[in-house]
Amino acid sequence: MSAGEPQLTPTLVAVCLIMALAAAAVNRFALQGSPFSAPVAAIRASVQLAAVATVLAIALQRLWSSILVLAVMFTVASITAARRSQARQGAAWLAVALAAGMLAVIPVLLLTGVVPLKGVALVPVFGIVLGGTMTAAAVAARRSLDALGQRAGEVEAALSLGLPERFSRMMVIERPLSDALIPNLEQARTAGLVTLPGAFVGVLLATGSAAQAGAVQVLVLVSLLLAQVSGVAVVGEFVARGMIVRRDAHSSDPRQ
């Protein structure tokens, strides 16, 4: 453990507690929000991370158990993406979109040896890329479905002109799909200038090498870009082809 790396001490616990309470106070008195939101989120994160840390300490010792952890992570990510998309039909297809994103990245990293086939290396990289792809895919599906609902007249007009259904829908959802990629694109553009991403900070604290930290962060950011673009592209196809849909209360078309 690096001398500069934060350690689990009573001081660290006290600092986290003070900041959570401060966030609760600001949220309550300045934003008129719930005073429990920040503390509850902090407690939940602490419990979840403690549980995950305990499991990973054991699982990462063997490749087979690491792969089992990855399978659980992928399952949870697929369910979460489906729920966040608010799709009423076809939400399960988001698992395919996530798989497409991961397949675009992970095999390349492993085959080139950039990421060794070891749990201690594979699980963190897989988790970061999967988390980012999950968020982008869910946002892409949700915003695309919103756009189709709000601009249904444009789709109908295009269909009346004899344009294919997929093309008519894609004209409407192209912008929402692109918007889903904005957060990671902005993070990549401002990395090192405005923000110091988590992978960079983690490697820097662990090794003390800025060069190695930078290399790892670039790898993560580029991997995220490819995985998210691939995943969102698949989501767009599914939505455009009516495989992921939302049934509105005022619509008789089950694909809307």
Side-chain angles (χ1 to χ4, degrees):
M1 180 179 295
S2 173
E5 185 176 354
Q7 302 180 30
L8 181 58
T9 63
T11 301
L12 185 147
V13 174
V15 169
C16 291
L17 179 60
I18 292 171
M19 290 192 293
L21 293 176
V26 173
N27 191 34
R28 174 66 182 88
F29 297 109
L31 303 178
Q32 303 301 313
S34 171
F36 301 106
S37 298
V40 169
I43 292 173
R44 178 174 176 176
S46 300
V47 172
Q48 290 177 173
L49 289 174
V52 169
T54 302
V55 172
L56 290 181
I58 301 173
L60 296 185
Q61 297 178 10
R62 298 287 186 274
L63 181 59
W64 70 266
S65 54
S66 299
I67 294 176
L68 181 60
V69 169
L70 297 180
V72 173
M73 292 170 62
F74 183 84
T75 301
V76 174
S78 299
I79 295 173
T80 303
R83 176 175 54 82
R84 291 181 179 177
S85 71
Q86 296 187 348
R88 299 293 180 265
Q89 298 178 32
W93 285 109
L94 286 170
V96 178
L98 296 186
M102 303 311 294
L103 289 174
V105 172
I106 300 301
V108 175
L109 298 182
L110 294 177
L111 291 175
T112 57
V114 173
V115 174
L117 189 58
K118 297 180 179 179
V120 70
L122 182 58
V123 170
V125 173
F126 186 96
I128 293 173
V129 176
L130 177 61
T133 306
M134 174 194 72
T135 300
V139 171
R142 183 170 179 172
R143 291 188 177 179
S144 295
L145 293 174
D146 286 343
L148 286 176
Q150 296 167 1
R151 301 169 58 185
E154 296 180 36
V155 176
E156 294 175 0
L159 291 174
S160 68
L161 295 174
L163 296 177
E165 183 174 0
R166 176 194 172 278
F167 182 81
S168 302
R169 289 169 169 265
M170 190 61 75
M171 288 193 304
V172 171
I173 67 174
E174 281 180 346
R175 180 61 182 271
L177 293 175
S178 298
D179 288 347
L181 301 172
I182 290 178
N184 194 56
L185 288 173
E186 291 301 319
Q187 183 183 25
R189 290 167 180 162
T190 59
L193 297 177
V194 179
T195 62
L196 293 179
F200 179 91
V201 174
V203 175
L204 183 61
L205 291 174
T207 66
S209 170
Q212 184 176 354
V216 170
Q217 186 60 62
V218 169
L219 174 66
V220 169
L221 287 174
V222 176
S223 298
L224 271 170
L225 289 173
L226 176 56
Q228 288 185 341
V229 167
S230 301
V232 169
V234 173
V235 169
E237 284 296 322
F238 286 157
V239 174
R241 295 177 185 276
M243 298 168 66
I244 299 177
V245 298
R246 178 183 301 163
R247 186 194 297 272
D248 295 331
H250 61 274
S251 176
S252 60
D253 185 355
R255 295 172 300 179
Q256 293 294 327

